[in-house]
């Protein structure tokens, strides 16, 4: 698969190029906009999967709560203190341990889902854009388009140039 | 070739915020050496204590909790404001938060690394620290979850992990930026940036993750200091067994935490010439927050002492008078002066609320809050409920050295951090500038206009 890069100055131009390239038939998932700061006006991906993070956080919190209950109440039930052979499962302390572990679970869930959904911890980029990242760091907007068909290469490059890209590779 | 729109501004931001990472003068190394010397001296004192036992401290019956516990509570308190302030400001979308969040989050992490260290030091036989960790041991007993000490262990560890995550997640884009433009240490930034590329999808996910973390971290922060207060309040000792100890400690913690953030901001502003980022408005706004908390703290202190005095219970009054007119009077009145009488006029008068004035008030607040922890612990420990058991305490040179070493360690960690990571969030500053400018280069409908 060939990747074409276009460097832009204006977000408007980049967005304009994205729309034209989509009209050409390139799928949304093959278009990426890389920036050094968030540009809220640029929406290329339909659903980035943000809700996954919240869901994992809640799931982690629930698992943590149950683990806390099992740890604190289970300990009291299994290991009897010398109080007449009856376990003491006091709600306050069990609740505090449940709360702490709920937080731990939620944090773990958030980190795990973020790393997974954002494709982090993959140290090899999906395509070679490293040479252009310096321009992105300086404030440029990099449009990366993965071309499924060779006959799209020239039209896409033309679109990028027409839209105002100051560097096309 | 046309330059990116924000080229000049980005260049200036990179120059200002990345310069401290790659340029260090003799002053920096001198300061580092001085801090390292203090730390080494503290380590030597700790080794001396381990060899000779806790007899080298001022600990004596019945004062078995003293300076180490004071420092523990103080540092856990300092850890409060950082993440809590950052989370509140992020959740409420406060724009002026941008330069201060990183600094605040780092304070939390380092303070949390130092606070619990004092518990280990207090243990004496530090190699038995793992006894507090819940696991089935050969002793046939699991630690008792009804002990507030174990609540502390659970909450502090969760908070430390959460704070580290909350510090690290927003730093990933900056690490990736440094990876791409850094003159050296690129291997480190490549590893730490986790392959961040800055795609639109990644930005959206990161912003959601930061928001979720902010919501998780706020109740955790409140719970940590509440549980720390319960270590005292769950006993039936006079002037500890109080229902307001939880919020009282939380208010005090946020109060001292804000002061620590302000002091750190002032130091970095001066040392790294970051006047364009840590602006007078930040000191003014945080100064007003500090002023609010000084009144809140005074209110809680007044309520706490008023009820003890009016209740007229002999054991409570013993501690009460011990603090007000007894051996702890200098520390008690020092606390009132440093936490209320000096900072309030400085912070209330607009003309004094300059960066220097707010920094000065913060120093007094920090000193006063240390004294507050000291008087709370020593006053009751020296006068416990059983009347035949009275004592007096003064810290030994070993304890003072270890305490100074801890402050040096904190400063050392912070300075080293600022030499590896940008102390101000670069991408948030850039985002702030773009939002500030409004949609100069973009407005709804622009695309269709271009298309037509």
């Amino acid at each position: 698969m060939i990747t074409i890069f276009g460097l832009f100055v204006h977000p408007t131009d980049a967005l304009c190029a994205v729309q034209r390239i989509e009209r050409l038939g390139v799928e949304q998932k093959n278009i990426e906009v890389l920036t050094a700061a968030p540009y809220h006006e640029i929406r290329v991906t339909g659903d980035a999967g943000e809700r996954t993070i919240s869901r994992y956080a809640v799931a982690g919190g629930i698992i943590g709560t149950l683990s806390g209950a099992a740890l604190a109440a289970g300990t009291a039930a299994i290991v009897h203190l010398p109080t007449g052979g009856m376990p003491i499962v006091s709600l306050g302390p069990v609740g505090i341990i449940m709360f702490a572990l709920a937080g731990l679970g939620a944090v773990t869930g958030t980190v795990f889902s973020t790393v997974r959904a954002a494709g982090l911890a993959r140290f090899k980029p999906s395509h070679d854009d490293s040479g252009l990242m310096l321009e992105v760091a300086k404030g440029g907007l990099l449009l990366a388009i993965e071309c499924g068909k060779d006959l799209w290469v020239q039209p896409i490059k033309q679109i990028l140039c027409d839209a105002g890209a100051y560097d096309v590779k | 070739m046309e330059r990116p729109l924000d080229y000049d501004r980005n260049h200036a931001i990179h120059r200002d915020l990345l310069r401290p990472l790659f340029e260090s003068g003799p002053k920096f190394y001198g300061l580092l050496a001085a801090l390292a010397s203090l730390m080494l001296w503290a380590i030597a004192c700790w080794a001396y204590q381990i060899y000779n036992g806790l007899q080298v401290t001022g600990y004596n019956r019945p004062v078995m909790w003293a300076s180490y516990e004071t420092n523990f509570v103080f540092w856990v308190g300092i850890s409060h404001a950082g993440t809590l302030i950052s989370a509140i400001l992020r959740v409420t979308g406060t724009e002026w938060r941008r330069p201060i969040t990183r600094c605040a989050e780092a304070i939390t992490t380092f303070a949390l690394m130092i606070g619990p260290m004092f518990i280990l030091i207090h243990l004496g036989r530090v190699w038995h620290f793992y006894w507090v960790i819940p696991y089935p041991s050969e002793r046939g007993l699991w630690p008792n979850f009804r002990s507030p000490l174990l609540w502390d262990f659970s909450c502090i560890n969760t908070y430390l992990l959460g704070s580290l995550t909350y510090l690290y997640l927003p730093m990933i884009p900056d690490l990736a930026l440094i990876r791409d433009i850094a003159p050296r240490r690129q291997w480190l930034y490549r590893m730490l940036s986790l392959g961040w590329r800055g795609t639109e999808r990644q930005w959206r996910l990161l912003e959601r993750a930061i928001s979720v973390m902010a919501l998780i971290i706020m109740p955790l922060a409140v719970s940590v200091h509440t549980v720390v207060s319960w270590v005292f309040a769950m006993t039936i000792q006079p002037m500890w067994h109080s229902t307001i100890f939880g919020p009282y400690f939380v208010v005090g913690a946020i109060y001292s935490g804000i002061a620590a953030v302000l002091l750190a901001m002032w130091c970095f502003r001066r040392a790294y010439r970051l006047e364009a980022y840590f602006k007078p408005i930040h000191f003014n706004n945080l100064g007003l927050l500090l002023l609010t908390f000084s009144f809140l703290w005074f209110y809680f202190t007044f309520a706490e002492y008023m009820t003890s005095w009016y209740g007229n219970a002999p054991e409570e009054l013993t501690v009460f008078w011990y603090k007000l007119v007894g051996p702890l009077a200098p520390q008690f009145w020092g606390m009132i002066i440093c936490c209320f009488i000096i900072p309030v006029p400085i912070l209330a008068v607009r003309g004094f609320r300059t960066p220097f004035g707010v920094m000065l008030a913060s120093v007094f607040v920090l000193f006063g809050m240390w004294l507050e922890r000291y008087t709370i612990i020593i006053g009751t420990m020296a006068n416990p409920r059983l009347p035949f058991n009275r004592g007096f305490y003064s810290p030994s040179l070993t304890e003072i050295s270890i305490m100074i070493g801890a402050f040096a360690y904190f400063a050392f960690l912070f300075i080293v951090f600022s030499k590896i990571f940008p102390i101000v969030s670069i991408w948030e500053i850039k985002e702030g500038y773009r939002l500030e400018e409004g949609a100069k280069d973009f407005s709804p409908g622009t695309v269709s206009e271009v298309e037509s």
Side-chain angles (χ1 to χ4, degrees):
Chain A
M1 193 158 309
I2 303 162
T3 308
I4 303 166
F5 300 101
L7 271 164
F8 287 86
V9 168
H10 298 275
T12 327
D13 295 342
L15 208 50
C16 178
V18 169
Q19 288 180 348
R20 288 181 188 173
I21 290 164
E22 278 180 351
R23 260 183 248 152
L24 196 69
V26 178
E27 284 183 63
Q28 207 177 45
K29 64 174 185 181
N30 291 330
I31 305 170
E32 281 183 332
V33 184
L34 282 71
T35 53
Y39 281 69
H40 298 285
E41 59 268 41
I42 296 177
R43 282 284 178 270
V44 177
T45 320
D47 177 24
E50 292 108 313
R51 285 188 178 183
T52 315
I53 294 174
S54 312
R55 285 186 195 132
Y56 269 82
V58 171
I62 292 168
I63 293 169
T65 307
L66 296 175
S67 308
L71 182 65
T75 303
I78 294 166
V79 186
H80 292 182
L81 291 174
T83 51
M86 292 293 288
I88 302 171
V89 182
S90 48
L91 286 178
V94 173
I96 291 166
I97 302 298
M98 282 166 71
F99 177 82
L101 290 192
L104 192 65
V107 169
T108 311
T110 307
V111 173
F112 176 75
S113 58
T114 307
V115 169
R116 189 167 164 269
L120 296 175
R122 290 180 205 153
F123 291 94
K124 286 181 182 170
S126 57
H127 41 250
D128 183 23
D129 52 18
S130 53
L132 298 161
M133 291 311 283
L134 188 61
E135 286 298 311
V136 174
K138 287 175 182 171
L141 291 95
L142 180 67
L143 210 61
I145 306 114
E146 286 194 348
C147 267
K149 298 172 187 172
D150 286 352
L151 57 100
W152 278 351
V153 174
Q154 273 317 110
I156 289 174
K157 283 188 174 177
Q158 193 58 48
I159 288 171
L160 292 174
C161 288
D162 292 347
Y166 66 90
D167 196 6
V168 177
K169 284 182 181 171
Chain B
M1 191 187 286
E2 196 177 354
R3 277 179 166 183
L5 264 186
D6 309 325
Y7 180 87
D8 291 331
R9 192 176 57 208
N10 287 347
H11 181 69
I13 293 171
H14 296 169
R15 185 196 58 216
D16 293 346
L17 299 179
L18 297 183
R19 187 183 47 213
L21 273 66
F22 300 106
E23 289 176 17
S24 303
K27 276 184 189 172
F28 164 74
Y29 291 109
L31 179 62
L32 222 55
L35 293 171
S37 308
L38 288 172
M39 283 158 56
L40 283 174
W41 170 245
I43 290 169
C45 287
W46 187 16
Y48 174 71
Q49 180 189 297
I50 289 173
Y51 187 77
N52 292 292
L54 284 170
Q55 61 167 340
V56 300
T57 65
Y59 285 54
N60 211 335
R61 283 189 67 200
V63 187
M64 289 303 180
W65 282 5
S67 69
Y68 294 147
E69 284 66 26
T70 302
N71 283 302
F72 164 69
V73 179
F74 175 77
W75 283 108
V76 174
I78 293 292
S79 79
H80 247 65
T83 302
L84 195 62
I85 287 176
S86 166
I88 291 170
L89 296 181
R90 272 190 212 275
V91 167
T92 53
T94 311
E95 274 305 308
W96 56 266
R97 73 170 195 276
R98 293 177 187 279
I100 64 173
T101 49
R102 177 79 45 81
C103 195
E105 289 153 13
I107 283 181
T108 293
T109 309
F110 299 139
L112 272 179
M113 286 162 70
I114 289 169
M117 199 175 70
F118 280 99
I119 299 299
L120 299 181
I121 295 170
H122 173 76
L123 282 179
R125 288 182 286 178
V126 66
W127 48 93
H128 287 159
F129 78 95
Y130 64 91
W131 283 11
V132 80
I133 300 170
Y135 75 106
S137 70
E138 72 279 5
R139 298 187 304 279
L141 280 174
W142 281 18
N144 184 1
F145 282 98
R146 286 177 301 147
S147 161
L149 296 177
L150 208 57
W151 309 347
D152 243 9
F153 178 83
S154 309
C155 289
I156 288 176
N157 278 311
T158 300
Y159 188 48
L160 177 60
L161 186 79
S163 300
L164 263 173
T165 310
Y166 194 59
L167 171 69
Y168 179 61
L169 276 181
M171 206 153 58
I172 293 174
D174 285 350
L175 296 171
L177 176 94
I178 306 169
R179 171 198 64 196
D180 295 330
I181 63 173
R184 54 183 184 275
R185 295 201 296 253
Q186 282 179 325
W187 62 270
L188 176 71
Y189 299 112
R190 189 175 298 118
M191 189 176 67
L192 292 174
S193 60
L194 298 177
W196 173 269
R197 297 169 65 233
T199 63
E200 178 230 348
R201 181 184 159 81
Q202 285 184 330
W203 280 116
R204 282 164 67 180
L205 288 166
L206 182 77
E207 287 184 334
R208 172 58 69 95
I210 293 170
S211 304
V212 170
M213 278 303 301
L215 292 174
I216 297 170
I217 213 84
M218 282 191 284
L220 279 179
V222 173
S223 77
V224 167
H225 223 63
T226 306
V227 168
V228 168
S229 81
W230 285 349
V231 168
F232 304 99
M234 293 298 175
T235 67
I236 52 165
Q237 293 292 357
M239 289 201 81
W240 279 3
H241 190 57
S242 161
T243 54
I244 67 161
F245 244 40
Y248 182 34
F249 267 51
V250 171
V251 164
I254 298 173
Y255 188 33
S256 59
I258 297 168
V261 171
L262 280 162
L263 181 61
M265 279 168 56
W266 189 84
C267 292
F268 283 121
R269 186 178 193 259
R270 289 272 297 184
Y272 295 154
R273 304 196 174 284
L274 297 178
E275 288 85 355
Y277 302 90
F278 297 134
K279 297 174 185 169
I281 189 173
H282 297 116
F283 288 90
N284 180 66
N285 292 355
L286 282 177
L288 285 173
L289 199 59
L290 197 66
L291 179 67
T292 309
F293 272 90
S294 68
F295 283 112
L296 263 175
W297 173 85
F298 187 77
Y299 164 69
F300 272 102
T301 305
F302 179 75
E304 175 67 12
Y305 283 82
M306 179 70 185
T307 45
S308 293
W309 173 74
Y310 194 78
N312 210 23
E315 64 276 9
E316 295 266 332
L317 281 183
T318 307
V319 181
F320 180 87
W321 292 121
Y322 189 84
K323 290 185 191 179
L324 264 72
V325 292
L328 272 186
Q331 288 89 340
F332 178 83
W333 292 110
M335 166 191 89
I336 297 289
I337 291 167
C338 291
C339 283
F340 194 74
I341 293 172
I342 293 177
V344 166
I346 295 175
L347 298 167
V349 179
R350 192 176 173 80
F352 295 155
R353 232 169 23 245
T354 58
F356 180 78
V358 173
M359 181 278 294
L360 195 65
S362 300
V363 171
F364 278 107
V365 168
L366 284 170
F367 185 58
M369 285 309 296
W370 192 92
L371 290 175
E372 192 231 34
R373 295 1 184 154
Y374 185 85
T375 51
I376 285 176
I377 293 170
I378 307 300
T380 298
M381 286 306 293
N383 302 279
R385 187 166 291 275
L386 296 176
F388 58 83
N389 205 3
R390 297 271 185 264
F392 182 73
Y393 166 82
S394 65
S396 70
L397 183 64
T398 308
E399 291 166 270
I400 294 168
S401 301
I402 291 174
M403 186 185 82
I404 292 170
F407 278 92
Y409 182 38
F410 179 78
F412 184 89
L413 283 174
F414 218 149
I415 291 170
V416 170
F417 175 84
S418 73
K419 284 287 167 188
I420 300 174
F421 306 105
I423 201 68
V424 175
S425 175
I426 297 173
W427 68 268
E428 287 190 87
I429 291 286
K430 288 179 183 173
E431 187 191 27
Y433 276 123
R434 291 198 68 252
L435 293 173
E436 204 175 277
E437 284 174 353
K440 272 183 189 170
D441 57 324
F442 183 89
S443 60
T446 321
V447 175
S448 56
E449 283 162 26
V450 172
E451 288 289 79
S452 63

